[in-house]
């Protein structure tokens, strides 16, 4: 479809997106988003906010979500590499509590679409990484929540080779496990 390859994952509504890259000896050009192509693939979200973060190796940001004003996120890396993860938190989903991970790099230019109802996070696996994401709703700090990054019941397999220390925010050190969370999301 258009200038993107939309790859369905084992979890419904979660997509890996590969943009077509046009390059020559001068460099490259690509579309990172095209509403018509996304709608044709069944992704009719509307983005209202763009964010960017820069982090060093070993930084793990996540696993975040908002309990109200939920955010779908289209994420990509423009410098370095991260291992990006989403966990299905939709009650009634056949994949509730399951996770999917993908390596996003400046070189592979892959994107990950994480819809509403998922916890999201990433681990920086390069020396530094610049992470960009488009959101379907605005940040609402009063509804900010999260899932513990190493919840044994979820069992995310983070690529820790070459990572000397996991660097977490104080908030992320204290997130709840899946069993402790009061999940507000329903599977549709």
């Amino acid at each position: 479809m258009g200038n993107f390859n939309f790859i369905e994952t084992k979890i419904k509504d979660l997509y890996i997106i590969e943009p077509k890259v046009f390059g020559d000896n001068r460099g490259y050009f690509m579309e990172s988003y095209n509403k018509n192509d996304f709608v044709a693939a069944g992704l009719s979200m509307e983005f209202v906010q763009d964010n960017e973060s820069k982090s060093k190796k070993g930084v793990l940001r996540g696993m975040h979500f908002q309990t109200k004003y939920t955010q779908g996120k289209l994420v990509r890396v423009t410098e370095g590499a991260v291992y990006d993860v989403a966990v299905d938190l939709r009650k009634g989903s056949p994949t509730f509590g399951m996770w999917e991970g993908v390596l996003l790099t400046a070189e592979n230019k892959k994107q990950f679409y994480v819809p509403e109802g998922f916890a999201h996070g990433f681990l920086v696996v390069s020396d530094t990484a610049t992470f960009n994401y488009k959101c379907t709703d605005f940040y609402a700090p009063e509804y900010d929540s999260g899932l513990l990054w190493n919840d044994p019941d979820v069992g995310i397999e983070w690529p820790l080779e070459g990572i000397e220390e996991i660097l977490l925010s104080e908030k992320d050190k204290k997130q709840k496990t899946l069993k402790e969370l009061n999940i507000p999301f329903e599977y549709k």
Side-chain angles (χ1 to χ4, degrees), residues 2-3 5 17 22 36 54 58 72 79 82 88 95 100 103 107 134 145 157 171 176 188:
N3 287 323
N5 181 24
I17 302 165
F22 305 92
N36 292 334
K54 184 163 185 154
E79 179 242 336
V82 308
D88 189 350
T95 53
E100 179 79 36
L103 183 66
E107 287 75 32
K134 302 174 97 45
S145 190
E157 296 173 14
K171 174 182 82 171
K176 295 180 178 181
K188 297 176 186 171

Side-chain angles (χ1 to χ4, degrees), residues 62-164:
M63 301 293 297
H64 303 148
F65 61 93
Q66 290 183 176
T67 57
K68 290 187 181 177
Y69 308 107
T70 57
Q71 295 178 308
K73 297 174 182 174
L74 178 62
V75 301
R76 68 191 186 108
V77 169
T78 55
E79 179 242 336
V82 308
Y83 188 69
D84 200 78
V85 175
V87 177
D88 189 350
L89 297 181
R90 301 169 298 175
K91 288 188 284 192
S93 168
T95 53
F96 177 80
M98 291 178 61
W99 64 276
E100 179 79 36
V102 61
L103 183 66
L104 303 177
T105 73
E107 287 75 32
N108 73 19
K109 299 185 181 12
K110 288 181 182 178
Q111 299 180 78
F112 201 28
Y113 179 64
V114 180
E116 294 87 348
F118 285 73
H120 171 258
F122 64 89
L123 171 66
V124 178
V125 296
S126 56
D127 288 340
T128 61
T130 302
F131 188 82
N132 294 268
Y133 54 109
K134 302 174 97 45
C135 300
T136 60
D137 209 337
F138 299 102
Y139 177 60
E142 64 274 28
Y143 299 109
D144 190 38
S145 190
L147 171 70
L148 188 65
W149 70 278
N150 62 349
D151 181 346
D153 289 330
V154 176
I156 298 169
E157 296 173 14
W158 296 100
L160 300 177
E161 187 175 326
I163 305 289
E164 293 179 21

Side-chain angles (χ1 to χ4, degrees), residues 39-56:
V39 168
L43 299 173
S44 58
M45 75 293 277
E46 182 176 332
F47 296 110
V48 299
Q49 180 177 325
D50 281 10
N51 300 319
E52 179 175 292
S53 68
K54 184 163 185 154
S55 306
K56 64 184 182 176

